[in-house]
Amino acid sequence: MLALVSPALLVILALIVLPVGWLAWQSIYHDGFTLENYLRVFTEDIYWRSFALTFEISFAVTVIALLLGYPVAYLANSVPKGCSILILSLVVLPFWTSVLVRAYAWLALLQRTGVINQFLRYLDVISEPLALVHNTLGTVVATVHILLPFMVLPLYATMQKIPSDLMQAGASLGASPSLTFFRVFLPLSLPGVLAGCTMVFVLCLGFYITPELLGGGRTVMVSMLVSRNVELYNQFGAASAVAVVLLLSVLAIFFMVSRFIPLDRVLGQK
Amino acid sequence: MNMRRTIGLGCGLVGAIGWISAADAAEQITFVSQGGAYQEAQTVAILDPSAKKLGITINQDSIPDAWPAIKTQVGSGKPIWDVVDTPTGYCLRGGEQGLIEKLDFAKMPNAAAMPEAYRSPYSVSYEFYSSVLAYSQKTFPKDAPNSWADFWDVKKFPGRRALRNHPIATLEAALMADGVAPDKLYPLDVDRAFKKLEEIKPNITVWWTSGAQSAQLLNDGEVDMEMAWNGRVSAVAKEGAKVAFTYNQGILQSTSLCILKGAPNLDTAVKFLNEAVDPVHQANLPLNIDYGPGNPKAFETSVIKPERAAQLPSEPVNAAKQALMSYAWWSSPAGEAAEKRWASFMQK
């Protein structure tokens, strides 16, 4: 058994454990052991603000993705097979386009001279272009678009496994369709909700290109803090410390979620 | 049999390595720049002619931001690069941190003949660009903004604005907007600069992070005026956008050549540095891209036509209208403190 898995273990060791270990090491060792980098992360204003903003945006993105994704997954689950494949491929299709391309596409849509503003002006709904991008709004819109598949797919997988007999049983006992939905279907789909939300939230925590291009420079998320620490301030230690704190928050989230549902469901197996 | 084959292969490899090292005896260096159209232009104008003249091989590598790589390469004790073309500030900072070789100008007559402000103990200016005030000619068909004071004057020049999300050149612009003369900027009055920046901050729509982004903002009409690099603005203008810029109060910046500490081909690298700032090679650069030569003697060769020279940031008349960036100040403790202060300014 060990002989069988050892190549895989080696790959994990070389590609994951060693680099992460080196990162953690770099954050505490620079000409001697130091906690200075972590002290800075926990005491300096800018780090707090970035972490707070990152969690706020991730939360907003998760909620919006859930509100948009649930009906889509529900629809895909309740229509005939052929239709559901069509719906799911429409969800997954943007997934194969580069994140950078999608960010620029959103720019073309949202900016002052963009499609949406020009259309609204043409309709005379607005006289001055709306500030749809180069702020947090633009960042959230594009991030939701990019992460939506990660919400829809786990939801759909969970919904597929809910036996339709249960809804029929509810209906035969006299419950209205909305009552069967809220009392039977919704609770049974909750593991999918949790799985989708965890995926979207955790992925959003590490977003970089989207806020960089659509945030107008003010939406400084944690990943941007890491890059600026390396590029601008030349502080590898501080950058590593930020990265380690982010990694630990992600692990903590996974740990908390795993107490409610098995992790393999979050990660999309079975 | 398997064993014998392995040995045979091994011998072959050793032979091959021996052959490669023999080829090494013909001198070579590894030169690193920032890639793209810029690196292509310098290959034609400077690298290929220098290699030919010196009889050396110039291997090229490119990286958008060399600084982290310089740090890790020299830190590992075995750098693989020799010469880097990078913003001058990194050469100075690297020099102080023992990552960059000190230059012996006695071995580089071409560099020694350049103005002292264009050199440092660790670097020599290679090309110039400028952070200029650029604007849309659609928004300002006449009476365009012509100084940083105009940029700050939101009443007289209404419109959306963008600045670079970086303190370098931005603090200089703020001080000039506040009335400091271009030649009296250093040491920068950092408090005064940030105070002036607070004033314009509510009117800044975008703080851009890449040159491509700044070009796109101007091209799409997302902003009406911004600080941008001259080459980016002229590229957009060439494509037909109604945009222009002024060299008045521009901030003249350079990238420099410097040599990594412990570079594998140090002697050849020094020879190359001298050749790279040769006035004729330097004069060829602006024929291929909108950057100015690092060596002002290039303007004395007949290679650059007067009308072309007038467009370049380092042409003497244009240079006189601008502030020359002091990289020495920016890599001083005060400069580094100002850089750090930028992050909290942005997030407030």
Side-chain angles (χ1 to χ4, degrees):
Chain A
M1 182 63 187
L2 191 66
L4 269 179
V5 296
S6 59
L9 280 178
L10 270 178
V11 169
I12 291 174
L13 187 77
L15 295 183
I16 299 174
V17 180
L18 284 180
V20 171
W22 181 76
L23 193 76
W25 174 254
Q26 197 172 228
S27 68
I28 52 167
Y29 189 87
H30 180 75
D31 305 328
F33 284 98
T34 169
L35 283 177
E36 188 199 338
N37 291 321
Y38 287 96
L39 269 178
R40 193 183 297 152
V41 172
F42 287 106
T43 53
E44 275 185 26
D45 250 18
I46 58 161
Y47 291 97
W48 270 118
R49 283 205 204 103
S50 269
F51 271 100
L53 180 76
T54 306
F55 276 88
E56 272 166 33
I57 288 182
S58 302
F59 185 75
V61 165
T62 308
V63 170
I64 298 171
L66 179 62
L67 292 178
L68 291 175
Y70 199 96
V72 174
Y74 187 82
L75 187 70
N77 183 48
S78 44
V79 295
K81 193 86 191 162
C83 288
S84 73
I85 289 175
L86 181 72
I87 293 173
L88 290 177
S89 23
L90 286 179
V91 171
V92 178
L93 206 61
F95 205 56
W96 295 325
T97 321
S98 134
V99 176
L100 194 63
V101 170
R102 277 184 281 171
Y104 276 114
W106 277 110
L107 214 51
L109 286 173
L110 298 176
Q111 66 188 3
R112 184 159 71 143
T113 52
V115 179
I116 293 176
N117 266 321
Q118 288 200 338
F119 185 63
L120 290 177
R121 284 180 89 164
Y122 171 75
L123 294 179
D124 250 348
V125 181
I126 51 169
S127 54
E128 270 300 297
L130 303 172
L132 301 174
V133 78
H134 298 306
N135 49 25
T136 309
L137 176 68
T139 307
V140 169
V141 168
T143 310
V144 166
H145 174 232
I146 290 164
L147 290 178
L148 205 53
F150 293 94
M151 182 63 85
V152 173
L153 296 179
L155 276 173
Y156 177 74
T158 311
M159 289 175 181
Q160 277 253 295
K161 275 183 247 117
I162 301 174
S164 54
D165 311 2
L166 294 179
M167 258 67 70
Q168 285 163 11
S172 75
L173 291 172
S176 68
S178 62
L179 196 66
T180 39
F181 175 79
F182 283 109
R183 296 283 292 275
V184 182
F185 191 85
L186 186 64
L188 286 171
S189 68
L190 280 183
V193 171
L194 197 59
C197 287
T198 314
M199 281 306 273
V200 170
F201 191 84
V202 163
L203 286 171
C204 190
L205 286 179
F207 256 48
Y208 176 67
I209 294 177
T210 318
E212 180 84 45
L213 280 175
L214 300 172
R218 278 169 297 252
T219 312
V220 184
M221 287 179 68
V222 172
S223 54
M224 291 155 76
L225 213 55
V226 173
S227 93
R228 288 188 84 72
N229 260 308
V230 172
E231 286 174 16
L232 187 55
Y233 310 122
N234 176 32
Q235 289 168 340
F236 287 70
S240 312
V242 174
V244 167
V245 172
L246 186 63
L247 184 65
L248 290 180
S249 345
V250 169
L251 290 178
I253 291 169
F254 270 124
F255 175 75
M256 283 192 298
V257 171
S258 73
R259 303 188 59 166
F260 296 103
I261 52 165
L263 263 187
D264 55 1
R265 277 184 100 148
V266 177
L267 300 174
Q269 300 160 342
K270 302 219 166 142
Chain B
M1 175 176 147
N2 220 342
M3 176 80 108
R4 192 176 304 157
R5 234 169 77 189
T6 312
I7 292 172
L9 195 69
C11 289
L13 270 177
V14 170
I17 290 167
W19 182 75
I20 291 169
S21 348
D24 263 2
E27 294 175 59
Q28 60 163 341
I29 56 159
T30 302
F31 173 84
V32 184
S33 181
Q34 294 132 43
Y38 171 56
Q39 192 156 352
E40 281 166 30
Q42 58 174 317
T43 302
V44 175
I46 298 173
L47 301 178
D48 285 349
S50 298
K52 209 171 156 197
K53 205 162 140 195
L54 295 174
I56 61 171
T57 307
I58 300 178
N59 308 306
Q60 293 193 41
D61 202 346
S62 62
I63 190 166
D65 182 8
W67 176 247
I70 294 176
K71 216 173 142 76
T72 39
Q73 274 198 27
V74 180
S76 76
K78 265 204 165 299
I80 46 173
W81 294 344
D82 294 291
V83 180
V84 187
D85 169 4
T86 194
T88 308
Y90 289 145
C91 299
L92 267 74
R93 190 186 279 176
E96 279 155 22
Q97 296 183 11
L99 303 171
I100 299 294
E101 288 280 349
K102 203 158 197 166
L103 298 180
D104 180 0
F105 284 98
K107 289 184 189 160
M108 292 183 259
N110 283 333
M114 285 165 61
E116 236 170 276
Y118 289 12
R119 294 184 266 140
S120 85
Y122 305 100
S123 65
V124 51
S125 287
Y126 182 55
E127 53 90 23
F128 278 101
Y129 61 101
S130 183
S131 292
V132 294
L133 170 53
Y135 54 88
S136 154
Q137 288 173 313
K138 269 193 205 150
T139 320
F140 305 105
K142 50 181 181 178
D143 298 330
N146 191 41
S147 68
W148 294 113
D150 290 350
F151 187 91
W152 256 252
D153 192 342
V154 293
K155 286 217 181 72
K156 198 168 155 206
F157 298 96
R160 297 170 32 126
R161 290 155 159 80
L163 283 174
R164 186 181 176 203
N165 189 356
H166 202 294
I168 287 190
T170 318
L171 295 196
E172 279 90 339
L175 287 169
M176 285 190 266
D178 210 21
V180 180
D183 55 343
K184 298 274 186 299
L185 286 169
Y186 301 97
L188 294 186
D189 185 341
V190 177
D191 287 335
R192 185 171 168 189
F194 274 108
K195 205 173 149 218
K196 193 70 182 169
L197 277 166
E198 291 287 357
E199 210 178 278
I200 195 73
K201 198 177 177 192
N203 295 292
I204 301 294
T205 312
V206 185
W207 298 90
W208 56 265
T209 42
S210 73
Q213 195 189 359
S214 72
Q216 173 259 327
L217 290 170
L218 205 57
N219 190 33
D220 294 357
E222 187 66 10
V223 298
D224 303 301
M225 64 173 96
E226 65 172 350
M227 172 183 276
W229 295 316
N230 66 290
R232 296 287 184 171
V233 188
S234 51
V236 171
K238 247 177 238 162
E239 277 166 29
K242 289 252 162 252
V243 298
F245 70 89
T246 172
Y247 276 123
N248 189 38
Q249 293 193 342
I251 296 109
L252 195 56
Q253 290 167 260
S254 62
T255 67
S256 284
L257 296 182
C258 52
I259 303 175
L260 266 63
K261 190 94 185 171
N265 309 291
L266 180 59
D267 293 338
T268 317
V270 172
K271 268 191 240 169
F272 167 73
L273 234 64
N274 182 53
E275 193 59 36
V277 293
D278 169 81
V280 176
H281 295 327
Q282 284 271 313
N284 279 321
L285 184 68
L287 306 185
N288 294 282
I289 199 160
D290 283 333
Y291 295 118
N295 188 346
K297 285 224 161 53
F299 289 107
E300 293 162 23
T301 66
S302 51
V303 180
I304 313 175
K305 298 255 160 23
E307 56 273 23
R308 178 62 180 145
Q311 301 167 342
L312 299 173
S314 58
E315 188 268 339
V317 176
N318 288 336
K321 292 182 203 164
Q322 304 178 63
L324 180 63
M325 160 84 49
S326 167
Y327 290 101
W329 185 85
W330 277 106
S331 58
S332 74
E336 285 183 10
E339 275 199 13
K340 281 187 193 131
R341 193 165 154 185
W342 182 264
S344 20
F345 164 76
M346 281 308 298
Q347 287 197 35
K348 247 188 290 183

